[in-house]
Every structure is written in C-alpha cells, then in structure tokens.
Amino acid sequence: MPGQASTITKIVARQIFDSRGKPTVEVDLTTGQGMFRAAVPSGKSTGIHEACELRDGDKSMYQGAGVLTVVKNVNEILAPAMLGMDVTKQAEIDQKMIELDGTDNKGKLGANGILAVSMAACRAGAAARGVPLYQHIADLAGNPRPVLPVPSFNVINGGVHAGNALAPQEFMILPVGASGFEEAMRMGTETYHTLRSIIQNKYGLNAVNVGDEGGFAPPIDTFEAALDLLTEAIAAAGYTGKIKIGMDPASSEFFRESGEYDLNFKAATNNGSGRRTSAEMVELYKQLVAKYDVIFIEDPLSEDDWAGFADITRELGSQYEIIGDDLLCTNPKRIQRAIESKACNALLLKVNQIGTISESIKAVQLAKSAGWGVLTSHRSGETADDFIADLSVGLSTGHIKSGAPARSERVNKYNQLIRIEQELGSKAVYAGDNWRFISISA
C-alpha cells in the first residue's frame, strides 16, 4: 500500500566513525519501502553560532568525543515519536524533532542526531515517491530545474587544517570553463596532479602529503605563495582562464581578542608583525583579487565582524562572491541580518550547522531571494554519505566543495555527481560560468 511505503516503522541509531577517526552518528530509518541510512559529518573549524554537535564529554572514552548520548536520544526519544510519520512530509518530520528538542540550537537532543534522522527521512521520502534524491529535494524546495554544480577543489591547506605556517585555511580551484561536470572533474584532477608535481619539485616529497580534505600543505606562509602555486599549476595544466580560484581564510581562527587578525598565529616565534586590523585585511584582499584570478572569498573576516564583512562586500561584492560561513552558520536568522546589513552576498550551506533538511532548504531559499550565491559544503570530518551531492543539484547551488579530488570520503560526493549527470543525460545542465546566480523559482 502507498501509505506503508512512506510510513516510518523503525529508526535505529548507532555510533560510527568519521574520516578523522572521531565518533559520529549514523541512523537507519525503515519504511515499507525498505531501510534508508544517513551519517552526519563533523567540522574542525567550527563557528560558535552553529547548532549543537552534542558529545558525551567522558574523557575516559574517545577523549570525550563519543556520541552515545545522542544515539540514546535518537533511539529512546526521537524514534518512538517518529513512528507512523509520513517521510514524504519532510517539513512535518523536521518540525516534530525541533519541538521535541525545544532549544534554539538543538542542544538538548543534539543536532547531529536530529540531522541523521532528517537526512534518512529525506532519502526514504524520495524512494516513496519513486524519484531520485536530487529530484525529491528540488520538489521540496519548489525548484523547477536541478543544476549540476561547479566543483570547488580544496588543493592547498593552511589554518587549523595543516601543520605549516600558512594562516588562511583553504585555497580552491573551480573549473568554471568546463562544458559539463565530468569534464570539470578531468580539469580539476589534472591540475591537482600538476600542482602535486610542482610542490614536490619545489619543497620535496613530504610537502605533498595530504591533509584531512585531500589538499597539500607545503611549507609556505603567505596568501601570495599559495596563489602563485595555484596560478602556476593552472597554467601548466593548460587551463588558464578556464579554472578560477577560491579562498577560505577561515579568519575566525586567527582573530584575536585585541580585535586584530594575526597572520602569524601559527609561527614558532611571533613578534606581532603579522597583525592586521579589519580594514587592513580588506585592503589585503583587494590587492589579492586584483593580482590573481580569484572569484570568491569565504569568511574573509571573523564570525562576528559584521562591520568588516559589510566593508568588504561594499568594496568587492559587485565583482566577487563574499561567502558567509561562520558568520551565517546556515541559520536563517543570521542570513536575514546579513541581507539587511549587506554583510555578504553568498551562503555556505552546511546542513550540520543548522540540523535539518527543511531548515537548510529555507536558508537557501532566503539567500537566493536576496540574489545571493550558494556554495554547498562538506566538513573536514566526513563520512561515506554522499547526501550533499544530491542536495547541491536539487537546490541548484551552483558550486560545491567537498575537498580535493583525493580521499574516498571526498571523491564519493564528486562520483555521485558524475552518476547524476549521466542519469540526466541530455537534460543535464552544468552551472559553469553561471555558478553564482541560479534561481530556484520558476
């Protein structure tokens, strides 16, 4: 019967491990259609305004990072309450869990447990309707045309993701000039391996060991050094003009109580020469985008530097994407504030920052209603779950970052996008040069 196919009959949560070897939450949700599984990621560079990733705190087990409390919350509180609910009604399922938690940040039951159930329910809803996951998400959002995103490959690492002295956290390459997603993968992987050879020749074999997200961490310490390497690799691979550059300084990590940004925060000896005011950071970014083929800057300033974000958006926003990650935390309230204050012009979409699929969709709808771009993102602690690939297509976010074209928990998101492109066939649309402005309304 159709009702049985969409009715939740069982939910079971368990503790599994992410790509960094830390515990995380996985949920199996069963309907008459079968069992549907989802696992949640975990960030290392996290914003203070993110929904609560609940951990056990028992230092005798997993250094306090266990999630058995969340597993218990899912199995004993959420599961009984969700039985009999219709998985095709995503908003009702998510709202029920929000009400059961009853806090502003999902701190009672844990956003990590709530999200696992929400993702599994979304998969089950797609199956009950007999449509692919990306199409189900598109329908939930009222999006008439799913679009394949431009991959944003994180190929050089710094910040808290690497042991070098480089303060900014990520430097990315985006094949906007590709004709389709599979060609974008070819362009990206060729440039990635070209970059590997360049770094190895300059700095030795140890410099091409990869980090959490598959990027390299050469012994460099300035924005310019990283951007020079990328420019050289793109040219050597033959893709100048077709591959652009994105940056994620993750500036909250080197923002100090003095109100300054310390670009030498990882240096063994720090004489204070790397300190910059918010205005000086904006000037630095203006110089960088004038010199290099950069198209976006994510978190150029700290998570509560609203004035600094407004300054850089006023200065650069007409030509470049200024993305809010820690500033926004995929939270509609913070997105609305940013729209009103013109603090940025793009959203970084991380589902575990907000905790449900319905709220993630609302965040994207709000951002796009303001004419913003949206970048779908993984986390540094990932799982084999490839949900965000379908999410990026279903919401037509225009671009997606899932790390370098290396490490299976990164590449499996890109591989899923290849499958989706093949499934769509002649109907497949690749964002390409239009990566920044894609509406999700008819």
Side-chain angles (χ1 to χ4, degrees):
M1 292 177 60
Q4 293 176 331
S6 64
T7 299
I8 298 174
T9 58
K10 186 178 182 181
I11 296 176
V12 177
R14 66 180 62 86
Q15 177 175 270
I16 61 167
F17 295 88
D18 68 18
S19 59
R20 290 199 301 257
K22 290 184 66 175
T24 190
V25 185
E26 180 177 82
V27 160
D28 292 347
L29 183 150
T30 303
T31 68
Q33 194 85 2
M35 187 273 286
F36 303 90
R37 177 171 291 160
V40 299
S42 173
K44 184 175 185 180
S45 173
T46 56
I48 61 174
H49 303 290
E50 293 191 21
C52 176
E53 180 186 73
L54 195 60
R55 299 280 179 177
D56 295 339
D58 180 357
K59 298 297 183 181
S60 68
M61 296 184 66
Y62 305 115
Q63 300 175 323
V67 292
L68 294 178
T69 301
V70 178
V71 168
K72 183 178 181 180
N73 289 343
V74 173
N75 290 335
E76 298 184 5
I77 299 175
L78 292 179
M82 312 304 287
L83 296 182
M85 293 194 75
D86 185 343
V87 290
T88 65
K89 298 179 179 179
Q90 186 74 37
E92 292 183 12
I93 286 173
D94 291 341
Q95 185 59 35
K96 179 72 171 180
M97 292 191 288
I98 290 169
E99 292 172 357
L100 287 168
D101 177 85
T103 68
D104 289 337
N105 69 344
K106 301 176 179 67
K108 178 182 177 182
L109 301 179
N112 35 352
I114 291 172
L115 177 61
V117 175
S118 183
M119 291 167 62
C122 195
R123 279 202 170 98
R129 295 182 59 233
V131 298
L133 178 57
Y134 64 84
Q135 186 60 57
H136 179 53
I137 292 170
D139 293 341
L140 289 173
N143 179 17
R145 54 174 192 139
V147 174
L148 287 147
V150 174
S152 181
F153 302 108
N154 175 13
V155 294
I156 293 183
N157 294 173
V160 298
H161 285 180
N164 56 15
L166 186 63
Q169 185 168 280
E170 299 177 13
F171 291 85
M172 292 159 273
I173 54 173
L174 294 88
V176 297
S179 61
F181 189 82
E182 190 167 359
E183 185 184 29
M185 288 300 298
R186 179 174 67 82
M187 294 167 62
T189 55
E190 289 175 0
T191 305
Y192 176 74
H193 291 296
T194 301
L195 176 65
R196 186 187 193 282
S197 297
I198 291 171
I199 291 174
Q200 183 173 333
N201 289 337
K202 287 179 183 287
Y203 302 108
L205 189 59
N206 285 342
V208 291
N209 291 333
V210 300
D212 286 348
E213 298 181 6
F216 306 118
I220 55 178
D221 59 5
T222 66
F223 281 89
E224 291 87 349
L227 292 166
D228 283 339
L229 285 171
L230 290 188
T231 302
E232 182 180 353
I234 291 168
Y239 294 121
T240 298
K242 292 185 176 181
I243 290 183
K244 305 293 185 178
I245 297 171
M247 301 190 298
D248 175 15
S251 302
S252 296
E253 300 294 342
F254 52 89
F255 182 72
R256 296 297 171 254
E257 291 183 1
S258 65
E260 295 174 302
Y261 296 85
D262 188 0
L263 296 177
N264 291 338
F265 84 106
K266 295 199 294 180
T269 57
N270 190 343
N271 61 10
S273 62
R275 289 182 175 262
R276 302 284 188 276
T277 64
S278 182
E280 288 170 336
M281 289 299 296
V282 172
E283 286 303 312
L284 172 60
Y285 294 130
K286 287 171 65 177
Q287 294 169 18
L288 294 174
V289 299
K291 182 178 179 181
Y292 300 98
D293 208 0
V294 172
I295 57 175
F296 76 70
I297 311 174
E298 176 189 335
D299 274 358
L301 298 155
S302 182
E303 57 202 342
D304 284 316
D305 190 352
W306 290 90
F309 262 95
D311 287 344
I312 192 170
T313 301
R314 183 176 61 254
E315 294 283 347
L316 297 177
S318 63
Q319 292 181 272
Y320 306 95
E321 200 175 50
I322 307 300
I323 304 174
D325 175 13
D326 292 345
L327 179 80
L328 304 175
C329 289
T330 317
N331 187 312
K333 292 181 181 179
R334 294 182 70 83
I335 295 169
Q336 185 60 48
R337 178 179 174 183
I339 291 170
E340 293 170 358
S341 61
K342 296 180 171 59
C344 55
N345 60 20
L347 164 70
L348 192 76
L349 172 62
K350 291 176 174 174
V351 290
N352 79 323
Q353 285 184 330
I354 190 65
T356 68
I357 301 307
S358 296
E359 289 169 296
S360 298
I361 291 172
K362 288 179 181 178
V364 171
Q365 290 173 326
L366 180 58
K368 289 201 172 192
S369 71
W372 285 15
V374 181
L375 171 58
T376 302
S377 176
H378 65 161
R379 301 307 299 257
S380 56
E382 263 298 336
T383 72
D385 196 311
D386 58 14
F387 188 95
I388 64 168
D390 285 78
L391 184 73
S392 68
V393 176
L395 297 181
S396 299
T397 63
H399 43 336
I400 182 174
K401 68 171 187 174
S402 181
R407 297 184 52 133
S408 60
E409 77 280 357
R410 312 294 153 184
V411 175
N412 73 341
K413 279 73 166 172
Y414 299 134
N415 286 341
Q416 174 64 1
L417 288 163
I418 290 174
R419 297 182 196 107
I420 293 172
E421 183 176 55
Q422 184 180 60
E423 180 179 310
L424 286 169
S426 61
K427 296 180 180 179
V429 176
Y430 175 65
D433 288 329
N434 194 37
W435 57 275
R436 186 175 171 185
F437 301 112
I438 301 175
S439 172
I440 57 172
S441 60

